[in-house]
Amino acid sequence: MSPASHEENPTQPESAAEEVQQTAGETVAADAADAGTEAADAAPEAADAADEQPAEAEQAKPARRRSAAGSGEADRPAAARGGRGTRSAAKATAKKDRPAAASTEVQVELPAEVFDATVNVPLIHQVVVAQQAAARQGTHATKTRGEVRGGGRKPYRQKGTGRARQGSVRAPQFTGGGIVHGPVSRSHAQKTPKKMKAAALRGALSDRARHGLVQVVSGFVDGELPKTADAVSVLSAVTGAAAGASTVRVVADSSDQLTGKSLRNARGVHLIDPGQLNTYDVLTNDRVIFTRAAYESFVARTGAAGGQEER
């Protein structure tokens, strides 16, 4: 190449190496320009996709709500859908809303000869011990040497053995022998006069009445059908304590089946007929509650006995 031609084309590379570098630079620049163009084209598409996703989510949520509403389960009340938990909650609410039973306590003037008598503690102790003794079966017994089986033959000869003389292997000193002075079947009943029993009962009732633990009610259940819940509510209202917090002796006539069936399974409640009320039952319970009919029957019987005793 001549010097003249070199001067006419000043941008032409001087060597092959420079030509290669120039070509590579142009290629990299072209690629960068193409990448920028693609990125610029992709940015609007990504923005459009981001805008479309919330719209799709908003459309999906109402669709699920519409499906639930269409099935009718969301609009139905909890009680209509049923279920053990729902029924239990409904029962608890109904029980809570049930009005409390009003006290049917009757204000009566307790006769002084029955409920304000002198308390004789030794007499009460004697009567209670006699009552507990009469309740014993008395069937305990042991066998003497004449009742034990076996031992009829003399175990060894009388003399010459160097041992103590023995006549039977069922003697008390042998294993399997009879028992000496053991218990025998007998009655433990003690003879207690009726006046002593009546005086002890009056003393026990007087002690309870002085502390306000003797009460009279007109009844426990309204209507003709037994109802344990109503009877227990009346007891709680009269005593002022929760059911089962204390033991109560309820005195009701044996013919009063309504009261008997209503309270026979109540916790802490013991039923008794007025003719069977005794000192031990009064002392072993915190309260004594009479029905009106039982109270009148008991006072008529006990008051008459007290009047005869005074004469």
Side-chain angles (χ1 to χ4, degrees), residues 166-182:
Q166 302 292 338
S168 173
V169 293
R170 292 297 180 262
Q173 68 270 21
F174 285 104
T175 301
I179 304 298
V180 181
H181 305 304

Side-chain angles (χ1 to χ4, degrees), residues 76-83 86:
R76 294 173 60 189
R81 290 198 297 269
T86 306

Side-chain angles (χ1 to χ4, degrees), residues 2-285:
S2 62
S5 62
H6 178 72
E7 291 177 358
E8 292 177 358
N9 190 10
T11 59
Q12 186 176 4
E14 297 179 356
S15 63
E18 292 179 355
E19 185 178 357
V20 172
Q21 291 178 358
Q22 184 177 359
T23 304
E26 293 175 356
T27 304
V28 171
D31 294 340
D34 295 341
T37 304
E38 292 178 358
D41 295 339
E45 296 178 358
D48 296 340
D51 294 339
E52 291 176 358
Q53 288 179 357
E56 293 178 358
E58 292 178 358
Q59 293 177 0
K61 289 180 180 179
R64 287 194 295 269
R65 287 197 296 268
R66 284 195 301 272
S67 63
S71 62
E73 289 294 330
D75 296 337
R76 294 173 60 189
R81 290 198 297 269
R84 179 176 299 178
T86 306
R87 289 194 296 269
S88 301
K91 289 182 178 179
T93 305
K95 187 175 182 180
K96 186 182 296 183
D97 295 340
R98 180 188 301 174
S103 173
T104 60
E105 183 176 2
V106 179
Q107 299 297 333
V108 296
E109 185 177 355
L110 301 176
E113 63 271 11
V114 179
F115 297 96
D116 195 16
T118 303
V119 181
N120 190 340
V121 177
L123 175 61
I124 293 176
H125 176 267
Q126 180 181 347
V127 171
V128 170
V129 169
Q131 183 176 348
Q132 291 179 327
R136 297 179 63 179
Q137 289 184 340
T139 55
H140 40 54
T142 57
K143 292 183 179 181
T144 63
R145 62 180 297 172
E147 298 171 339
V148 179
R149 181 179 179 181
R153 181 178 64 86
K154 189 176 178 65
Y156 46 84
R157 59 194 178 118
Q158 182 79 355
K159 296 180 179 291
T161 61
R163 302 175 62 185
R165 54 192 176 187
Q166 302 292 338
S168 173
V169 293
R170 292 297 180 262
Q173 68 270 21
F174 285 104
T175 301
I179 304 298
V180 181
H181 305 304
V184 294
S185 299
R186 66 184 183 91
S187 174
H188 293 272
Q190 301 178 14
K191 186 178 180 180
T192 307
K194 293 181 179 179
K195 292 183 178 180
M196 293 178 62
K197 294 179 181 179
L201 177 58
R202 289 196 299 271
L205 287 173
S206 300
D207 179 71
R208 288 289 187 265
R210 289 190 183 102
H211 293 84
L213 300 177
V214 176
Q215 295 165 297
V216 181
V217 297
S218 60
F220 289 95
V221 180
D222 295 332
E224 299 179 355
L225 295 177
K227 189 68 175 178
T228 301
D230 295 345
V232 171
S233 299
V234 171
L235 274 179
S236 300
V238 171
T239 60
S246 60
T247 56
V248 179
R249 176 66 63 175
V250 176
V251 185
D253 289 327
S254 56
S255 60
D256 189 358
Q257 296 294 328
L258 187 62
T259 301
K261 291 182 179 180
S262 299
L263 291 175
R264 62 187 178 184
N265 291 330
R267 184 179 60 179
V269 178
H270 307 281
L271 290 164
I272 195 170
D273 186 80
Q276 298 176 348
L277 187 62
N278 54 79
T279 306
Y280 180 77
D281 288 333
V282 173
L283 296 178
T284 53
N285 291 272

